[in-house]
């Protein structure tokens, strides 16, 4: 949507009906589970408006109940029985009350990963995180900060931090972004990870500006070597899957 989306507030409803952009199966391309077959639930709407965001999360008119949504996931799962990972992404997945959805997915023994920009927390999520104590990786959060601060609960629970890197727009001190994602050219260091966190740097896809994407990729290599970060490539784009 490239910064043209409406900024939408957190919906504190009961979560029994959700606004969903799409459900599809693919290969998780990014972050700690990159390369894993997964079923994606793309939630509609976002509370931020990143000017380079290339995701469509606004065009859906689908408002399924949780049961309808889980049925859709189960149907997708029959087509790809090797996919036991459900990625809840967006838009901003924490903008809606995804607790009832997550509870049901965990009952079906899926692993669930939430991909968030980290500005919002869904109250009660911390309780669901201990829902399946015998399965440490049952529910995981990966945060990709887009603002100067992330919610303290996200900071506490995220297992990995992923930063989108544009060449020359990162700090020489820690290699992480120092420009706003909301307004081009405005100085705004993004929230930093706690000490010892798993950090990924991922080159910003500049679309048709291939030479800029290449420069971003080279910057990620430099930053990984200098600071010990891991590189995240958008494997789904390389593989030519959705
Ligand atoms: S937070 Fe994520 S989904 Fe929302 S506008 Fe930014 S990049 Fe796009």
């Amino acid at each position: 949507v490239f910064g043209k989306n409406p900024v939408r507030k957190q919906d504190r409803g009961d979560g029994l009906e959700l606004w969903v952009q799409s459900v599809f199966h693919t290969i998780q391309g990014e972050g700690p589970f990159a390369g894993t077959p997964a079923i994606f639930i793309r939630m509609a709407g976002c509370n931020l408006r990143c000017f380079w965001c290339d995701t469509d999360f606004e065009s859906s008119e689908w408002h399924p109940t949780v049961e309808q949504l889980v049925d859709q996931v189960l149907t997708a799962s029959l087509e790809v029985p090797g996919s036991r990972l459900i990625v809840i992404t967006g838009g901003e997945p924490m903008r809606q009350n995804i607790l009832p959805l997550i509870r049901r997915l965990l009952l079906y023994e899926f692993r669930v990963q939430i991909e968030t920009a980290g500005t919002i927390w869904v109250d009660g999520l911390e309780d669901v995180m201990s829902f399946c104590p015998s399965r440490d990786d049952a529910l995981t959060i990966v945060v990709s900060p887009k603002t100067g601060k992330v919610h303290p609960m996200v900071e506490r629970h995220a297992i990995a931090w992923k930063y989108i890197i544009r060449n020359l727009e990162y700090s020489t001190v820690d290699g992480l972004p120092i420009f706003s994602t909301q307004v081009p050219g405005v100085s705004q260091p993004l929230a930093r990870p706690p000490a010892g966190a798993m950090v990924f740097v991922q080159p910003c896809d500049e679309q048709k500006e291939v030479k800029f994407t290449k420069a971003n990729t080279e910057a990620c290599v430099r930053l990984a070597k200098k600071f010990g970060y891991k590189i995240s490539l958008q494997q789904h784009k390389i593989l030519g899957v959705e």
Side-chain angles (χ1 to χ4, degrees), residues 5 46-50 52-53 55 57 90-92 117 146 182:
N5 59 294
C46 191
N47 65 319
L48 298 176
R49 185 191 279 151
C50 304
W52 39 257
C53 177
T55 306
F57 50 76
E92 174 49 66
K146 305 293 188 305
Q182 306 299 290

Side-chain angles (χ1 to χ4, degrees), residues 24-162:
F24 55 98
H25 54 76
T26 183
I27 303 293
Q28 165 61 295
E30 306 179 3
F33 303 111
T36 308
I39 297 168
F40 273 61
I41 303 174
R42 185 176 300 291
M43 306 299 294
C46 191
N47 65 319
L48 298 176
R49 185 191 279 151
C50 304
F51 62 87
W52 39 257
C53 177
D54 59 358
T55 306
D56 175 16
F57 50 76
E58 274 286 330
S59 61
S60 162
E61 294 181 3
W62 188 33
H63 290 79
T65 63
V66 169
E67 280 72 23
Q68 289 168 334
L69 185 52
V70 171
D71 279 350
Q72 190 90 1
V73 170
L74 292 173
T75 302
S77 146
L78 288 177
E79 291 176 40
V80 280
S83 294
R84 297 306 297 170
L85 175 66
I86 311 293
V87 179
I88 308 180
T89 186
E92 174 49 66
M94 299 261 218
R95 201 188 63 78
Q96 301 184 64
N97 182 357
I98 51 177
L99 289 189
L101 170 64
I102 291 172
R103 284 200 185 98
R104 281 168 180 73
L105 293 172
L106 292 176
L107 281 175
Y108 281 101
E109 300 201 339
F110 288 109
R111 282 189 298 151
V112 178
Q113 181 211 336
I114 303 172
E115 287 190 335
T116 179
T119 55
I120 299 175
W121 183 254
V122 178
D123 289 337
L125 190 58
E126 62 277 20
D127 300 329
V128 181
M129 296 197 83
S130 53
F131 191 66
C132 294
S134 61
R135 295 164 60 215
D136 283 348
D137 63 348
L139 176 59
T140 48
I141 296 174
V142 175
V143 61
S144 181
K146 305 293 188 305
T147 51
K149 284 189 179 159
V150 299
H151 193 288
M153 293 299 276
V154 173
E155 177 163 339
R156 184 181 307 172
H157 290 287
I159 63 154
W161 295 61
K162 186 179 70 186

Side-chain angles (χ1 to χ4, degrees), residues 165 167 203-204 212-222 231 233:
I165 298 296
N167 190 31
C204 183
F212 291 141
T213 304
K214 185 166 184 287
N216 297 343
T217 306
E218 289 166 356
C220 286
V221 173
R222 286 196 302 276
I231 291 182
L233 297 176

